[in-house]
Amino acid sequence: MAITYELIKTCKQTGARLGRVHTPHGVIETPAFMPVGTQATVKTISPEELKTLDAHIILSNTYHLFIRPGHEIVRQAGGLHKFMNWDRPILTDSGGFQVFSLSNMRKISEEGVEFRSHLNGDKLFISPEKAMEIQNALGSDIMMAFDECAPYPAEYDYVKKSLERTTRWAERCLASHARPQDQALFAIVQGGMYEDLRRQSALELTSMDFPGYAIGGLSVGEPKDLMYNVLDCTVPLLPTNKPRYLMGVGSPDALLDGSIRGIDMFDCVLPTRIARNGTTMTSQGRLVIRNAKFADDFGPLDPECSCYTCTNYSRAYIRHLIKADETFGIRLTTIHNLHFLLELMRNVRKAIMEDRLLDFRNEFFETYGLNES
Ligand SMILES: Nc1nc2cc3nc(NCCc4ccc(CCO)cc4)[nH]c3cc2c(=O)[nH]1
Ligand SMILES: [Zn+2]
């Protein structure tokens, strides 16, 4: 079996679970945050630094690696682990979402999606079979089924037709799964913001017995309370002995409230993306280091933080680097933001062990600020 999920305990205060996902490249302690390395690198951070930060798994993208450098190159390199020198688990997203969020001129049919590369405009086509061939070449430990992430908002009838096609595509992914012993294929539940369609999608996909289930179609601009409604009606329909992965979610508040609702895995570009413009997550909420008030502030970014950045550099120095567009500044804010979220998840796992996750959540929001993202 490519992966097995070990449920260690369920929190008495909430629906949160402490677990472990065992993979051929190591164990993932859950609930887990996955740093995003879209083009085979977590931007500006080395694999050694990711290990120092204690990231257990990273995410890469089928769409990006298909259009550059091409999955055959990665296959010839011996797979993504060798290519990027990362020997811990890798999850690859299947490309559906990226095609819709990045490329223009795309046509969706039963067969798959025709689109133009956002790099050079080449006309390309990805089908469920193609998405599986690419992920097979990449050699990721966890592959995602090829799906359609319905836009938000979207008409009921469109979402229903779309989820039913996503279910048929999931069957085609299963049928073309070349190495189920080495790679786990996760299905992706769709259904927009409609409870009955979410139920339909969950029941259709869980009847096919995948090793793990993702909840897609969220974090697409909907209000947070809608996202939580969808989780409340979807998570209970997923098997308790398999991992649940909420795609594209990674703000501190959503990691906490998603864990409370029984989500085991999260990914988001947020910490790395906002770091590049100097926005940082600190125990007192968001801090935009470009702000002039930090020009002569020689204290650490976050006094409560023990990361490499907060141990060795001042706000004044980091602000100077970001203003001067120095890459080292982006490395420092990225290291801090990744540490902040990975540390948050370590504390979430500790709070579940001690049956006090709800208390931990309320304490966290008192200092971080409820409406932060
Ligand atoms: N295969 C598949 N992949 C997905 C990836 C997703 N990623 C998201 N949301 C990410 C949203 C997101 C994008 C950028 C930033 C940076 C700061 O603005 C933060 C969040 N939702 C998602 C849904 C799906 C989905 O249904 N299927
Ligand atoms: Zn720090």
Side-chain angles (χ1 to χ4, degrees):
M1 183 104 90
I3 72 150
T4 53
Y5 175 70
E6 179 194 357
L7 175 57
I8 297 168
K9 88 172 275 194
T10 302
C11 174
K12 289 192 176 50
Q13 275 190 343
T14 66
R17 301 125 51 91
L18 189 64
R20 287 194 191 100
V21 178
H22 297 271
T23 82
H25 283 92
V27 180
I28 306 153
E29 307 272 350
T30 62
F33 175 76
M34 301 184 279
V36 174
T38 292
Q39 301 186 107
T41 167
V42 176
K43 291 184 175 19
T44 78
I45 307 299
S46 72
E48 292 71 24
E49 287 167 329
L50 282 172
K51 286 187 178 174
T52 304
L53 291 163
D54 201 23
H56 292 176
I57 175 171
I58 62 160
L59 181 143
S60 258
N61 271 300
T62 296
Y63 167 82
H64 293 79
L65 296 170
F66 170 53
I67 60 173
R68 184 175 57 189
H71 58 296
E72 283 312 323
I73 294 288
V74 180
R75 187 204 305 273
Q76 287 161 34
L80 201 45
H81 290 88
K82 283 238 180 43
F83 192 50
M84 67 183 289
N85 184 35
W86 174 256
D87 61 2
R88 290 186 177 183
I90 297 174
L91 180 149
T92 45
D93 195 357
S94 51
F97 181 82
Q98 288 75 33
V99 165
F100 277 86
S101 51
L102 278 171
S103 77
N104 43 30
M105 206 312 274
R106 65 213 165 235
K107 235 166 62 224
I108 187 163
S109 68
E110 185 63 27
E111 189 48 29
V113 186
E114 186 181 276
F115 61 97
R116 286 194 183 281
S117 157
H118 74 289
L119 295 180
N120 59 15
D122 282 358
K123 205 175 229 181
L124 299 167
F125 187 78
I126 297 189
S127 64
E129 292 76 15
K130 186 69 182 175
M132 293 300 285
E133 180 203 327
I134 297 166
Q135 294 179 90
N136 176 44
L138 299 177
S140 44
D141 300 279
I142 301 175
M143 311 155 92
M144 302 310 294
F146 190 66
D147 65 326
E148 182 194 357
C149 173
Y152 173 77
E155 288 292 310
Y156 183 90
D157 291 343
Y158 180 84
V159 173
K160 182 169 172 57
K161 288 263 173 296
S162 168
L163 85 83
E164 288 163 354
R165 180 168 51 210
T166 287
T167 296
R168 292 193 296 275
W169 282 357
E171 279 168 320
R172 285 168 52 187
C173 286
L174 264 185
S176 61
H177 190 1
R179 297 186 287 136
Q181 290 314 313
D182 307 316
Q183 300 181 282
L185 174 63
F186 280 19
I188 306 176
V189 177
Q190 293 292 346
M193 308 304 153
Y194 302 102
E195 288 193 20
D196 60 325
L197 297 185
R198 283 284 170 179
R199 198 165 303 116
Q200 179 185 344
S201 178
L203 293 179
E204 288 176 356
L205 293 172
T206 50
S207 69
M208 285 188 261
D209 192 24
F210 287 88
Y213 292 90
I215 298 177
L218 292 175
S219 192
V220 287
E222 78 283 5
K224 282 251 168 83
D225 63 318
L226 264 189
M227 177 171 84
Y228 294 136
N229 286 351
V230 167
L231 294 189
D232 290 340
C233 79
T234 308
V235 169
L237 298 171
L238 301 177
T240 53
N241 64 336
K242 307 277 178 68
R244 297 106 175 235
Y245 163 28
L246 177 52
M247 305 187 86
V249 169
S251 57
D253 54 302
L255 292 177
L256 281 165
D257 285 334
S259 298
I260 284 170
R261 287 173 173 76
I263 297 294
D264 306 303
M265 296 163 69
F266 302 85
D267 87 274
C268 195
V269 295
L270 188 72
T272 40
R273 175 84 53 88
I274 64 173
R276 293 198 287 283
N277 62 40
T279 301
T280 60
M281 302 167 172
T282 76
S283 45
Q284 308 306 312
R286 274 195 177 195
L287 183 153
V288 181
I289 200 63
R290 285 177 174 278
N291 192 312
K293 68 184 175 188
F294 299 123
D296 59 353
D297 181 337
F298 301 102
L301 198 56
D302 183 351
E304 319 269 310
C305 182
S306 62
C307 84
Y308 170 71
T309 300
C310 295
T311 305
N312 297 293
Y313 304 94
S314 70
R315 289 171 171 178
Y317 176 66
I318 298 164
R319 177 177 180 277
H320 158 63
L321 294 181
I322 294 291
K323 297 281 279 184
D325 204 17
E326 281 290 346
T327 308
F328 188 52
I330 293 173
R331 278 179 35 76
L332 290 176
T333 52
T334 301
I335 286 168
H336 169 77
N337 282 354
L338 285 176
H339 173 85
F340 186 85
L341 288 189
L342 292 166
E343 180 71 9
L344 175 63
M345 297 318 281
R346 281 188 284 272
N347 288 326
V348 163
R349 296 194 293 268
K350 192 160 166 290
I352 295 171
M353 183 55 96
E354 298 162 2
D355 290 319
R356 56 175 190 79
L357 182 55
L358 218 43
D359 301 335
F360 175 72
R361 173 202 182 276
N362 296 334
E363 286 153 29
F364 179 86
F365 281 148
E366 264 157 37
T367 59
Y368 190 81
L370 261 167
N371 57 357
E372 288 291 336
S373 68

